[in-house]
Amino acid sequence: MSPLGKRFLQAVCLRAYRFLFFSKFSGKGEALVEHKKIIELQNISKEFEDEQVLSSINLDIYDKQFVTLLGPSGCGKTTTLRIVGGFETPDQGDVLFEGKRINDVPAHKRSINTVFQKYALFPHLNVFENVAFSLRLQKLPNAEIIKRVKEMLELVALKGFERKNVTKLSGGQQQRVAIARALISHPRVLLLDEPLGALDLKLRKDMQNELKKIQKQTGITFIYVTHDQEEALSMSDVVVVMAEGKIQQIGTPTDIYNEPVNAFVADFIGESNIVDGIMNEDYKVTFSGHTFQCVDKGFAPGEAVDVVVRPEDVDVVNVADGMLQGTVTSVTFKGVHYEIIVDIGGFKWMIQSTDFVDVNANIGIFIEPDAIHIMKKSEFSGQYGDYSTFSDEIEELGNSETVGD
Amino acid sequence: MEKTRKNLGRLIAAPHILWSVLFILAPLIFVVYYTFTDAYGTFTWENIFALKEHANTFLISVSLSVIATFICFLVGYPLAYLIAGYKEKSQKIMITLLMLPMWTNLLIRTYSMMAIMDDGGFLNSILGALNLGKVHLIGTKGAVIFGMVYDFLPYMVLPIYTIISKLDKNLLEAARDLGCNPFQVLWKVVLPLSSGGIISGITMVFVPSISTFYISQKLGGGTFELIGDTIERQFQNVSTYNVGAAISLVMMILVLVSLAVMNRFTKEEAS
Ligand SMILES: Nc1ncnc2c1ncn2[C@@H]1O[C@H](COP(=O)(O)OP(=O)(O)O)[C@@H](O)[C@H]1O
Ligand SMILES: [Mg+2]
């Protein structure tokens, strides 16, 4: 067959495939074809009033994935999302949708819908009309609108709420209406900006599961924004960690947790002890006065590095058997484990252990080679990972500050 | 505790209540009293029957006010929408500019309009200088309508602007997000959500328009009368106080009924 004919045939097959699997909600296509890039952010920068909010953001988002932008309040997550949605224009760089530049395509012409942080339901319309909003704009026949709204309300478990006033619904219910409203026109991409931020913990967990389920069922690409690392890890296919307007790391939840690229990521995702170390040679690192076996390589001999050890990977042993020795300064019971703060040569480590130890006890600690993760030094080195000022209260204060943005 | 708070509340409200009784309730009672009595204070329906003679004036007044209110809406709504779309600082400047004419007394404003629209006035001098002929404005209904629109436009713009500027911007973005072009955002979201402001605006323009007498006297050039003029004329002469009161009463009822109907509209919108 001539190359041209082959190309043509390929194109036809692709069309047919798309028609079969993309024109309807379906998760079946996943196994058949490598996901394609649906959104690309290329070298995006954005300033507000002389403040650099985003600096050269490069991000590829693949079709049908659940991608989460994770970072502390003010790091530029919402701005990134708004650029994708078409509500902000980048100062520099391009936004691509399926390979085509869409910088100049207005929001209402993008096949991208948004679930807003504060729901933004139309108060003058009831639940049915809110959900039907985009279908009414498309001037679909009434019978089809009724059918699709019904299906959608079932999907978000709001059957029978059609005639209800949206302002009279609970937060969780409003949230579901917002999701139904955004999904009903079958967008290719759904943007969700801290959609669960206003819900209480229990409801939040339920909604997390439900959102994940809806994403699987519909096969729509989700770009999800949160500052809650637990939420990000449990829901996402891909996590994008952001800080200070820059992307720090892109990876699966496991990668991000096990192999953070710098002190910021290590500290932001879960608990971490981050200490200064020297890489002697491949697989050998010295920190806190002891040389450890490790699994990392590729650093210059004698290179200064940041060493991450997760609290749950540290074993408490007798002083004599320990690779390092320290004094316990506090012990908190956490249900499944004790949270133990140990002073090792002036640096406070956090250890999570199911064994109880006494405050002021001298203990030894043991660390397996694969529990040690080596990172290059970065601008964040030395800012994180010491638990000397740590207390639960401070942790909570920090969290509540980040909630209300 | 609860009781002292209640008493305190009453004490604070007292001047207001006194004011209301003296300047709202008492005049109202007088109006009703005069409506149903003759010059000697005996009960009569005559004043009500006399209203028939003024039916035509009523009609002209209502139609001119409706037209003026409608024009105010057509001009005022887009204006309010546009202003609300600017940065906060520019909004403040524009609203101040809009209100600036209101700092000038209504009479003076009307006089200056006369100076502009008069047969030998400013406008006609310009037209004359350009050899475009002359237009006769003073004494036409158009001039009166223009006067009403000019004088009362800010009352339409302000309440609508207030509501639109306080609209949750997220709602407008949500509308765009779901596929509304700019016009549809206005039509499907902004307009229904600002209905309260529209109703206030309509009321605040319609009520002064229908009761005005000065504008029609000056810009209407005395060629026709509005109901406000009629009332004013009745009260110039002691012997016609009672008819004047009757017309006033009907006017008040008319305005109250239209307010009630409008309120009904807004309540239905809201629920
Ligand atoms: N419209 C705006 N005007 C000025 N500054 C803004 C605007 N939007 C966002 N910012 C600033 O940009 C930074 C990033 O904001 P945002 O993207 O909302 O962060 P996040 O969603 O991660 O909390 C913040 O410092 C915020 O104050
Ligand atoms: Mg945000």
Side-chain angles (χ1 to χ4, degrees), chain A residues 82 86-87 107-108 112-114 116 120-124 133-134 137 165 181-182, chain B residues 168 170-171 173-182 184 188-189 192-193 270-271:
Chain A
R82 289 172 59 79
F87 299 109
H108 67 274
I112 300 173
N113 285 356
T114 310
F116 290 85
L121 299 179
F122 302 121
H124 60 298
F133 193 84
S134 56
L137 286 174
N165 183 338
R181 181 180 72 175
Chain B
D168 182 358
N170 279 322
L171 293 178
E173 288 194 348
R176 278 205 281 154
D177 190 64
L178 294 164
C180 282
N181 61 36
Q184 286 168 320
K188 299 229 165 212
V189 179
L193 285 178
S271 66

Side-chain angles (χ1 to χ4, degrees), chain B residues 50-160:
Chain B
L51 286 174
K52 255 197 316 223
E53 294 161 33
H54 303 288
N56 204 29
T57 318
F58 260 111
L59 213 66
I60 294 177
S61 288
V62 170
S63 52
L64 291 194
S65 310
V66 166
I67 293 171
T69 309
F70 187 65
I71 294 174
C72 276
F73 172 72
L74 285 188
V75 176
Y77 194 92
L79 192 60
Y81 183 61
L82 286 178
I83 293 176
Y86 279 90
K87 287 209 178 82
E88 207 151 312
K89 220 170 172 183
S90 326
Q91 287 185 19
K92 281 209 183 97
I93 295 172
M94 283 186 258
I95 288 298
T96 313
L97 285 178
L98 183 81
M99 283 170 47
L100 210 57
M102 288 163 77
W103 296 352
T104 312
N105 187 289
L106 176 79
L107 307 186
I108 294 169
R109 269 185 288 158
T110 313
Y111 259 112
S112 40
M113 254 187 291
M114 275 177 74
I116 292 171
M117 294 198 285
D118 214 15
D119 284 352
F122 180 68
L123 190 67
N124 276 318
S125 321
I126 291 180
L127 288 177
L130 296 172
N131 274 333
L132 291 171
K134 287 187 176 254
V135 282
H136 176 64
L137 295 168
I138 297 294
T140 62
K141 290 186 175 135
V144 174
I145 292 174
F146 180 82
M148 291 174 173
V149 171
Y150 172 72
D151 278 331
F152 304 131
L153 184 65
Y155 298 118
M156 180 66 80
V157 178
L158 282 180
I160 296 174

Side-chain angles (χ1 to χ4, degrees), chain A residues 257 271 310-314 316 337-340 350-354:
Chain A
Y257 188 84
E271 301 291 348
R310 297 287 184 183
E312 70 271 20
D313 292 338
V314 182
V316 177
H337 59 260
Y338 296 97
E339 201 168 83
I340 304 163
M350 179 195 273
I351 298 173
Q352 290 166 354
S353 164
T354 49

Side-chain angles (χ1 to χ4, degrees), chain A residues 24-126:
Chain A
K24 284 203 188 105
F25 288 160
S26 157
K28 285 175 217 150
E30 273 182 89
L32 288 174
V33 157
E34 276 269 293
H35 293 323
K36 299 188 316 289
K37 283 180 196 169
I38 186 157
I39 301 275
E40 289 163 74
L41 299 182
Q42 296 181 341
N43 216 20
I44 300 276
S45 295
K46 178 81 187 170
E47 261 180 40
F48 281 123
E49 292 147 12
D50 293 336
E51 184 200 357
Q52 192 73 30
V53 171
L54 294 177
S55 354
S56 20
I57 297 286
N58 283 291
L59 177 62
D60 293 344
I61 289 170
Y62 290 83
D63 199 15
K64 289 169 186 272
Q65 284 200 323
F66 196 120
V67 178
T68 298
L69 306 183
L70 172 66
S73 180
C75 71
K77 306 178 298 286
T78 297
T79 306
T80 310
L81 212 61
R82 289 172 59 79
I83 286 173
V84 176
F87 299 109
E88 300 283 0
T89 37
D91 297 336
Q92 274 161 39
D94 291 325
V95 185
L96 271 56
F97 184 89
E98 294 189 318
K100 283 199 245 356
R101 187 174 178 275
I102 56 164
N103 288 35
D104 308 317
V105 178
H108 67 274
K109 292 195 179 138
R110 298 188 183 188
S111 184
I112 300 173
N113 285 356
T114 310
V115 175
F116 290 85
Q117 202 161 4
K118 290 182 188 101
Y119 318 142
L121 299 179
F122 302 121
H124 60 298
L125 302 176
N126 63 20

Side-chain angles (χ1 to χ4, degrees), chain A residues 249-291:
Chain A
Q249 189 168 8
I250 304 173
T252 63
T254 342
D255 285 349
I256 299 273
Y257 188 84
N258 290 338
E259 274 148 50
V261 293
N262 60 33
F264 174 83
V265 178
D267 180 76
F268 196 74
I269 315 287
E271 301 291 348
S272 314
N273 301 292
I274 306 172
V275 292
D276 291 328
I278 299 287
M279 205 65 189
N280 305 317
E281 53 186 85
D282 283 353
Y283 311 118
K284 270 216 168 59
V285 62
T286 303
F287 58 88
S288 304
H290 183 93
T291 299

